[in-house]
Every structure is written in structure tokens, then in C-alpha cells.
């Protein structure tokens, strides 16, 4: 009974008017049930979701996904199936038991601005399946309908989903919390000249009728269900690996990702068997709001990774690592996001070291620590958002996803490595993934498991790990990284600022991470002549590498060169949609008093951005005006 009451209060906290029973006499704090996901209305106690079937039609003309979703249920206890829903038009719900099927009245609760609404369908202990007919509306948060002119060929439009963190519910009604897993099967109908791909087994070739069948027989949470539709072609990379990309980019993609199979083998050595069968990647249009998204069997990638020199493949290592940390062992709620991202960022670094050497891996690690320092300084070291274990009740999970989860989380694993030794930590990680496979875990579960299987209950280190996870502020210990390459950069900066000519720096063979470090650590003089001189000497504004160009634009705007780089910035902001690049540039423009320009560029660029990126940028623009 306790948890049932708690559930009701929980809903009440988000959606006035959802409460159906009264809970008089109990205060909200007494009723808070910490085991529940604060970002999902689904009730995992009422029934077990075993399997989901999707039967969907994708129409580019009406920019609509429509069709049926069927839920196969086990252990039905409750009298109502509760699904998350964000802006879907629900047309019909059908309840199916052993003998009968009948249309049933359903209810959609008032919409919460962050979470959307709950779709409630009456069920009985006999219910085996529930079928919901629905369609999406324009503006669905997960979907971007990319017009043909923004694609590689310029000929056919493109559609992709981005379900993480809480947007799967905006394209199919589902139990949308990372703690609930189901296998799925899908039949997707698309225009005949387009290919559909999903985070499942994939076709690898075009069908003649535009109908595609998918199966993901392993249980996954809703945020890992993904779909993309467009003009795509496939190329093998290795035995188990390959790439989907628009025909115009396939060659370059196959070349850029040539190490993928080796990465997979290296990861298996480190972490235990890869459990998902194939590992393919998909190159999306430039408007994809992230660098990468670890959709199982089919990582989604931004084309900004195609640097032409394989210098940004750490992103591949990162998304591949999620096949263990995130996809196999999943954070229970978004409060434990660091278990996905921090562990993954640590493994990414290990894969990079194994393939490309310690120097490269350590350079990325140091850049990551610099990002973290800046993030913690911006948020303030006392901010609860600088904790690994978060308390996101009432907040949008998107807002709290920062370098803290990635870098402070990674630093914890690095600390454990340095204290216990690499072999011990690797043995622990393999044990951890095997123990929690196809399940979710929270910070407390990680801590308990580490305490017994890695830390031998040693009070000194146990206490450090506890504080690292639960207290705000920077990492308690900074890892030991090789700083040799960056010392060369520091010396180059000193030479440059003491009047030596840029040519004397011999920068010809500097790598991407060296350039990023160099730009970030140039003196902040706010002097347009100096800034211009750097640009002329190093040709920064004409760089094609999106990481280097972003670092430069941010530096130039903040150091007296905003007017000079404005056209370059506008062009970049109108041609890529990766949030990590967009936000610092918009922020820098506003900080330097270029709000009017930032707003003008945004109005021009907005139709090309994914709804998730639009939302984040609008927050920046509104906050800073
Ligand atoms: N899973 C994340 C992307 C994500 C996080 C989407 C939170 C929605 C909400 C992905 O694995 C990731 O971390 N991508 C990074 C790249 C990585 C190398 C740091 C990105 O897109 O920048
Ligand atoms: Zn990640």
C-alpha cells in the first residue's frame, strides 16, 4: 500500500488534477518514494512490459508518423496501464486477452511542461496485450524532418529520432524511463526510394516497396529506440561493423571509421563480450543535435566527425563503449546519468590509449578536465548540479546533463584505476557488466558493488568514493596524465606572446587536440589587432575541423574579434546543428553584446535545428537578453 500511495503523490507533484484518490493525512516528504523515476508516469508495478510491436507509416508530405503500437504484458496487477505521452494524438486503445479484444476508453492527463502527459488505459489481470493507435504532430520533440536542401544530396528529405532522454514518448507512447526494458519488433513503411534503419537488426539494402522489418530481441529501454529514414547506402568496415551514410558521404565515412572493427575487438578484451551482434554506425545530416548517440546496433553520428584525418574518432570509441556502460547496464533514472556517461568516458579513454597511445588519450583527458573546471566554475562549486548523484525531481533532465557526469565520473574511475591498479579495475569492470547485464543500476548499487568487489571495504577509500559520488565540487583527486605535448603548446604560446613570429612555432604537424589546447589557452587580451594576427597566421577562420573552428570562434568573439568572425560564425551556425558547437558560440556573442546579431542568426538558422537544439538555444537567448 505504501508504494501505491507514494505513486499517487508523485503524480500529484507534477500534474495537478491527476490525483484520483485522496491521500489526506500524509505529508509529501513522508510519501516520497525514492525508487521511482521522477521523469516517467509509467508504473512498473502494474504490469511488466515484455515486448513492444510498432507498426508505423512515415509520411514526409504530412510530416507525420502514424500507426499502431502493441504492448505485450506479463504479471498484470494494476487496473490501469500508464504510458508516457508527449503531444501524440491518441485515436484508439484496444485491450486484448486470451479470448477477446475490445476497444476501451482511455484517458490522457493534463500535460506537464517537462514530462508531457500520462496515457491511462484500463486493464484487467487477464489482459495480455494493449494496442494503441496514434499519430505524431509537427514539433514532436524527438523528430527532425530535415528538408531535402539540408541533406548531402539535396534531393530527398530525411527523418531521424533522438529519444534520449525523455523524448521517446513524443514519437510512440511508451514506458519512458531508463529503468524499464522491453524487446521490440517493428514494421515501418516509408516512401519507396528511401531506406529505413533502426536500433535493431538492419536491412543493409533498399527494399522495393518501402516496407522494412526490424527486430531487437534483447531488452532495451525506450530511450534507445531509434529510427532514421532517408537516402542511405551501406558499406562494410569489418566482419561485424559497417556504416550507413548518404551515397555522397559513404566513401569518406568508410575511410574515417576504418578502425571500427579494431575498436570493437579492443573493447571486448577490456570489458567482456559484445552482446549486441553487429555494430554499425549511421552518418546523419549536419543538423543532428549531438556528436553521437549510442542507439544499440546502430550508433547515430554527426557528420562533423568526418574531419578527413580520423582525428575525431574518440567519439566512435565513446559511443561504442556505451554498448556496455549505458546499453547493457543502464542508469536507473537520469539522476544516475554519470553511470552511463562517466563510465563510458573513462572506457573511451582506455580504448583510445589502446589504439592510438597514451599521449593522444591523455591529451583528450586533459581537455576534458579543463571543460569540467569551467563547468564547475560556471555552476559554482556548491551547486547540487556538480554532484554525480543528482536530484532532478521537478527539473528537465536535459538541463543537468553537463561535463560533471562525463568528466567527474570519468575522474572517479581513473582514481580507482590509480589506487587499485589497472588489472584490478579491469577485472572489476568485467564483473560489473556481467553482473548487471540487461538491467539498470543506480549510484548506490554501483557503490555497494564497488565496496565489496573492488574496495575490500577499506574505510579510507570507501569514504572518498562516497564523497566523490554524493558531494558537490570538483573531483577529489586529479588524475596523473602525461602533459608533455601540452607543455610544448604552453611554450609555443609564451614564444608567440613574447613577440616571436607564428612561423617560428613550427605548427605544421600539430594535431587536432593540440590546436584546441593552443586556442583555448591563448592569452585573453581582448585586443582585436592581436586576435586578427592569430587568425591571419593560423588561418583559423577557414578551418574545416568543427572542434577547432568552434574553439576559435568562441575565443575570437570573446577577445575583440567578433565583427571580424561574424560572417564565419553565421555560416557555421547555419550549417551545423550540434548543440555542443552552437551553444558556446551563441553564448559568446551575447556576452560580448552581440545579442541582436545572435537573435538574427538564430531566426535564420532555427528551421534547420532539431527541436532539442532549438529549446536549448532559446533558453540561452532568453536568459541573456
Ligand atoms: N548519450 C549521449 C548523447 C546524449 C546525452 C543525448 C544526453 C541526449 C541526452 C552520447 O553518448 C554523448 O555523450 N555524445 C557526446 C559525444 C561524446 C564524445 C562526449 C556528444 O554528442 O557531444
Ligand atoms: Zn555518451
Amino acid at each position: 500500500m505504501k508504494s501505491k500511495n507514494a505513486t499517487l503523490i508523485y503524480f500529484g507533484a507534477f500534474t495537478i488534477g491527476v490525483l484520483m484518490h485522496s491521500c489526506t493525512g500524509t505529508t509529501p516528504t513522508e510519501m516520497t518514494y525514492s525508487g521511482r523515476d521522477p521523469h516517467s508516469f509509467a508504473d512498473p508495478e502494474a504490469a511488466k512490459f515484455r515486448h513492444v510491436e510498432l507498426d508505423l507509416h512515415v509520411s514526409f508530405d504530412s510530416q507525420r508518423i502514424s500507426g499502431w503500437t502493441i504492448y505485450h504484458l506479463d504479471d498484470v496487477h494494476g487496473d490501469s496501464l500508464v504510458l508516457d505521452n508527449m503531444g501524440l494524438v491518441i485515436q484508439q486503445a484496444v485491450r486484448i486477452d486470451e479470448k477477446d479484444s475490445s476497444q476501451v476508453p482511455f484517458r490522457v492527463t493534463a500535460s506537464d511542461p517537462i514530462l508531457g502527459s500520462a496515457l491511462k488505459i484500463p486493464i484487467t489481470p487477464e489482459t495480455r496485450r494493449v494496442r494503441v493507435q496514434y499519430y505524431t504532430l509537427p514539433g514532436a520533440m524527438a523528430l527532425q524532418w530535415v528538408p531535402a536542401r539540408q541533406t548531402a544530396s539535396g534531393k530527398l528529405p530525411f527523418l531521424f529520432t533522438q529519444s534520449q532522454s525523455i523524448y521517446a514518448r513524443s514519437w510512440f507512447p511508451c514506458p519512458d524511463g531508463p529503468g524499464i526494458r522491453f524487446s521490440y519488433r517493428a514494421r515501418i513503411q516509408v516512401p519507396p526510394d528511401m531506406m529505413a534503419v533502426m536500433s535493431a537488426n538492419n536491412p543493409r539494402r533498399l527494399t522495393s516497396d518501402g516496407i522494412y522489418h526490424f527486430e531487437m530481441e534483447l531488452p532495451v529501454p525506450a530511450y534507445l529506440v531509434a529510427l532514421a529514414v532517408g537516402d542511405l547506402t551501406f558499406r562494410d568496415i569489418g566482419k561485424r561493423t559497417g556504416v550507413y551514410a548518404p551515397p555522397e558521404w559513404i566513401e569518406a565515412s568508410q575511410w574515417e571509421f576504418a578502425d571500427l572493427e579494431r575498436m570493437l575487438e579492443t573493447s571486448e578484451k577490456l570489458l567482456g563480450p559484445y552482446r549486441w551482434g553487429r555494430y554499425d554506425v549511421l552518418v546523419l545530416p549536419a543538423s543532428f543535435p549531438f556528436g553521437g548517440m549510442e542507439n544499440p546496433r546502430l550508433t547515430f553520428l554527426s557528420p562533423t566527425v568526418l574531419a578527413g584525418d580520423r582525428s575525431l574518432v574518440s567519439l566512435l570509441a565513446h559511443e561504442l563503449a556505451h554498448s556496455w556502460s549505458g546499453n547493457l547496464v543502464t542508469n536507473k533514472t537520469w539522476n544516475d546519468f554519470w553511470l552511463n556517461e562517466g563510465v563510458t568516458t573513462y572506457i573511451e579513454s582506455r580504448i583510445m590509449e589502446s589504439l592510438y597511445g597514451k599521449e593522444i588519450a591523455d591529451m583528450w583527458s586533459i581537455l576534458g578536465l579543463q571543460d569540467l573546471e569551467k563547468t564547475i566554475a560556471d555552476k559554482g562549486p556548491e551547486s547540487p548540479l556538480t554532484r554525480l548523484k543528482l536530484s532532478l525531481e521537478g527539473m528537465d533532465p536535459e538541463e543537468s546533463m553537463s561535463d560533471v557526469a562525463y568528466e567527474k565520473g570519468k575522474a572517479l574511475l581513473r582514481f580507482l584505476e590509480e589506487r587499485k591498479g589497472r588489472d584490478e579495475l579491469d577485472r572489476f569492470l568485467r564483473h560489473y557488466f556481467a553482473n548487471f547485464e540487461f538491467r539498470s543500476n543506480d549510484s548506490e548499487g554501483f557503490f555497494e558493488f564497488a565496496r565489496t568487489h573492488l574496495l575490500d571495504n577499506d574505510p579510507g577509500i570507501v569514504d572518498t568514493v562516497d564523497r566523490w559520488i554524493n558531494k558537490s565540487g570538483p573531483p577529489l583527486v586529479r588524475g596523473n596524465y602525461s602533459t608533455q605535448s601540452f607543455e610544448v603548446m604552453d611554450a609555443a604560446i609564451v614564444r608567440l606572446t613574447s613577440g616571436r613570429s607564428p612561423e617560428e612555432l613550427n605548427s605544421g604537424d600539430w594535431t587536432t587536440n593540440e590546436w584546441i589546447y593552443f586556442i583555448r589557452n591563448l592569452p585573453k587580451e581582448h585586443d582585436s589587432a592581436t586576435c586578427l594576427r592569430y587568425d591571419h597566421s593560423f588561418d583559423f577562420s577557414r578551418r574545416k575541423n568543427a572542434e577547432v573552428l568552434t574553439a576559435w570562434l568562441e575565443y575570437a568573439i570573446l577577445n575583440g574579434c567578433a565583427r571580424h568572425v561574424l560572417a564565419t560564425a553565421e555560416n557555421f551556425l547555419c550549417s551545423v546543428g550540434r548543440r555542443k558547437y552552437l551553444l558556446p558560440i551563441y553564448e559568446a556573442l551575447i556576452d560580448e553584446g552581440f545579442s541582436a546579431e545572435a537573435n538574427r542568426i538564430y531566426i535564420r538558422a532555427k528551421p534547420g535545428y532539431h527541436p532539442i537544439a532549438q529549446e536549448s538555444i532559446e533558453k540561452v537567448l532568453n536568459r541573456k537578453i
Side-chain angles (χ1 to χ4, degrees), residues 149-150 567 570-571 573-575 586 598-609:
R149 69 187 136 75
Q150 273 180 49
E570 175 162 358
N571 192 26
L573 293 172
C574 290
S575 51
Y586 279 110
N599 277 284
R600 182 185 58 75
I601 296 172
Y602 178 63
I603 288 166
R604 210 189 126 206
K606 181 179 171 180
Y609 293 156

Side-chain angles (χ1 to χ4, degrees), residues 97-109:
D97 61 28
E98 296 290 342
K99 302 185 218 69
D100 212 6
S101 79
S102 56
Q103 210 172 309
V104 285
F106 59 85
R107 214 158 70 79
V108 178
T109 62

Side-chain angles (χ1 to χ4, degrees), residues 65-351:
I65 296 181
S66 56
W68 292 92
T69 302
I70 304 176
Y71 312 90
H72 295 237
L73 307 173
D74 279 342
D75 301 335
V76 180
H77 297 301
D79 49 13
S80 168
L81 184 72
V82 185
L83 299 167
D84 291 297
N85 166 25
M86 191 181 272
L88 299 171
V89 179
I90 310 295
Q91 296 164 287
Q92 204 186 89
V94 176
R95 185 170 73 197
I96 304 162
D97 61 28
E98 296 290 342
K99 302 185 218 69
D100 212 6
S101 79
S102 56
Q103 210 172 309
V104 285
F106 59 85
R107 214 158 70 79
V108 178
T109 62
S111 184
D112 174 272
I114 297 168
L115 304 175
S117 56
L119 165 62
K120 299 190 167 190
I121 301 160
I123 49 175
T124 70
E126 283 70 47
T127 306
R128 292 292 162 267
R129 276 176 289 159
V130 167
R131 196 162 65 157
V132 178
Q133 188 183 11
Y134 72 98
Y135 60 87
T136 62
L137 290 175
M141 279 301 284
L143 303 182
Q144 189 174 14
W145 300 91
V146 185
R149 69 187 136 75
Q150 273 180 49
T151 63
S153 72
K155 287 191 208 114
L156 288 170
F158 199 101
L159 166 71
F160 66 88
T161 64
Q162 170 55 44
S163 299
Q164 195 181 11
S165 309
I166 54 166
Y167 300 128
R169 64 191 71 177
S170 78
W171 69 281
F172 67 107
C174 56
D176 195 7
I180 300 179
R181 308 174 86 88
F182 47 82
S183 53
Y184 77 87
R185 205 187 271 242
R187 178 188 182 274
I188 311 280
Q189 180 161 16
V190 304
D193 44 356
M194 289 190 174
M195 194 190 283
V197 287
M198 288 192 85
S199 51
N201 63 329
N202 273 297
R204 284 181 261 172
R205 66 174 75 89
L206 208 67
T207 62
S208 56
D209 54 3
I211 296 175
Y212 291 84
H213 293 273
F214 301 94
E215 178 149 19
M216 172 46 90
E217 70 288 358
L218 302 166
V220 293
Y223 82 90
L224 293 176
V225 180
L227 168 70
V229 182
D231 184 10
L232 291 170
T233 183
F234 174 82
R235 286 266 183 96
D236 278 316
I237 290 174
K239 261 200 337 272
R240 285 179 293 172
T241 50
V243 54
Y244 293 85
E248 293 75 10
W249 294 346
I250 194 73
E251 196 88 40
S253 306
Q254 193 187 29
W255 184 86
E256 198 87 25
F257 307 144
D259 285 339
L260 198 53
E261 189 80 23
R262 272 201 318 132
M263 270 191 189
L264 181 54
E265 286 159 8
T266 305
S267 312
E268 285 189 304
K269 277 202 202 98
L270 187 60
L271 308 167
Y274 176 76
R275 303 293 304 273
W276 304 91
R278 290 193 59 84
Y279 181 79
D280 296 320
V281 298
L282 164 68
V283 184
L284 288 155
S287 61
F288 184 53
F290 295 100
M293 176 66 214
E294 66 272 24
N295 297 313
R297 292 187 179 153
L298 187 65
T299 278
F300 283 22
L301 291 176
S302 159
T304 56
V305 196
L306 302 173
D309 57 5
R310 299 184 183 149
S311 67
L312 299 179
V313 294
S314 58
L315 207 138
L316 278 186
H318 178 97
E319 303 311 334
L320 175 61
H322 273 306
S323 307
W324 287 264
S325 40
N327 298 3
L328 193 60
V329 182
T330 308
N331 50 207
K332 193 170 270 171
T333 71
W334 300 115
N335 287 335
D336 304 297
F337 184 54
W338 78 273
L339 278 184
N340 274 20
E341 297 300 344
V343 177
T344 294
T345 307
Y346 172 75
I347 298 171
E348 165 197 335
S349 191
R350 293 290 305 278
I351 299 173

Side-chain angles (χ1 to χ4, degrees), residues 32 64 95 123 127 194 244 353 422 425 427 430 460 495 509 549:
T32 304
R64 171 179 288 187
R95 185 170 73 197
I123 49 175
T127 306
M194 289 190 174
Y244 293 85
E353 181 177 327
R422 228 174 221 199
L425 182 70
R427 195 190 46 75
R430 283 191 291 272
R495 269 161 47 215
D509 59 354
L549 185 59

